[in-house]
Amino acid sequence: MKQIKRIIFVSTSGTCRAPMAAHIMSEAELGKEIEILARGLVVLMPEPMNQKAEAVLISNGFGGDEYRSKALESEDIIEGTFIFTMTQEQKEKVVEQFEYPHVFVLTDYVGDELEIMDPYGGSVQSYGLCYETMSNTIARLVEILKTHKG
């Protein structure tokens, strides 16, 4: 396996789970320089982060930024890129569209059985639960990546 240079978190619209995951991951101590990106599969035009997702991030100490969703494009995938999706369906779409081998369902990669639930349309509490679940999953991802050679 090649050295990991870039991690892309992918969700459907790129306005909730992917940017939350990217923010959580960007705060992790990886011990190596890895670029962290968030992308969506269905992005018709750049949109700001979902307000409830942003509120949860701010309440967990992340400053608000001028995030705008972007669609995953072939130019995003460089040598050493790992792509983590939130669901098996998203993984299948990425693999089909880009024919790239290093695409994983985030929870599968760390050994969890359940996918990261989509809080869209739910309460702020459901976004908070999504954040907590993702934080725990990404903590395990960080431990796995720290042992990755390269």
Side-chain angles (χ1 to χ4, degrees), residues 38-87:
R39 295 291 187 261
L41 288 174
V42 182
V43 180
L44 303 177
M45 60 183 190
E47 292 185 52
M49 188 182 309
N50 176 289
Q51 289 181 327
K52 292 177 184 174
E54 187 174 33
V56 167
L57 284 175
I58 290 169
S59 72
N60 281 281
F62 295 98
D65 61 11
E66 293 301 313
Y67 176 84
R68 291 280 185 254
S69 60
K70 278 186 74 177
L72 181 64
E73 298 175 341
S74 55
E75 296 80 38
D76 293 322
I77 304 170
I78 61 171
E79 183 178 343
T81 297
F82 271 40
I83 299 173
F84 292 102
T85 64
M86 304 297 137
T87 68

Side-chain angles (χ1 to χ4, degrees), residues 39-145:
R39 295 291 187 261
L41 288 174
V42 182
V43 180
L44 303 177
M45 60 183 190
E47 292 185 52
M49 188 182 309
N50 176 289
Q51 289 181 327
K52 292 177 184 174
E54 187 174 33
V56 167
L57 284 175
I58 290 169
S59 72
N60 281 281
F62 295 98
D65 61 11
E66 293 301 313
Y67 176 84
R68 291 280 185 254
S69 60
K70 278 186 74 177
L72 181 64
E73 298 175 341
S74 55
E75 296 80 38
D76 293 322
I77 304 170
I78 61 171
E79 183 178 343
T81 297
F82 271 40
I83 299 173
F84 292 102
T85 64
M86 304 297 137
T87 68
Q88 181 65 33
E89 183 181 349
Q90 292 165 349
K91 175 188 173 184
E92 290 167 8
K93 286 181 181 175
V94 171
V95 169
E96 180 183 318
Q97 186 174 350
F98 297 98
E99 299 178 359
Y100 187 70
H102 301 294
V103 182
F104 310 94
V105 177
L106 176 59
T107 49
D108 285 352
Y109 193 82
V110 301
D112 287 347
E113 291 184 24
L114 300 175
E115 297 174 342
I116 302 289
M117 66 121 186
D118 187 354
Y120 184 76
S123 65
V124 173
Q125 289 81 6
S126 62
Y127 283 81
L129 179 59
C130 179
Y131 172 88
E132 292 302 322
T133 302
M134 211 166 335
S135 291
N136 293 332
T137 301
I138 289 172
R140 287 198 294 290
L141 175 61
V142 167
E143 291 308 310
I144 291 167
L145 294 179

Side-chain angles (χ1 to χ4, degrees), residues 21-34:
H23 278 356
I24 294 166
M25 188 75 178
S26 69
E27 295 293 309
E29 293 294 326
L30 288 168
K32 52 185 117 177
E33 196 64 34
I34 298 175

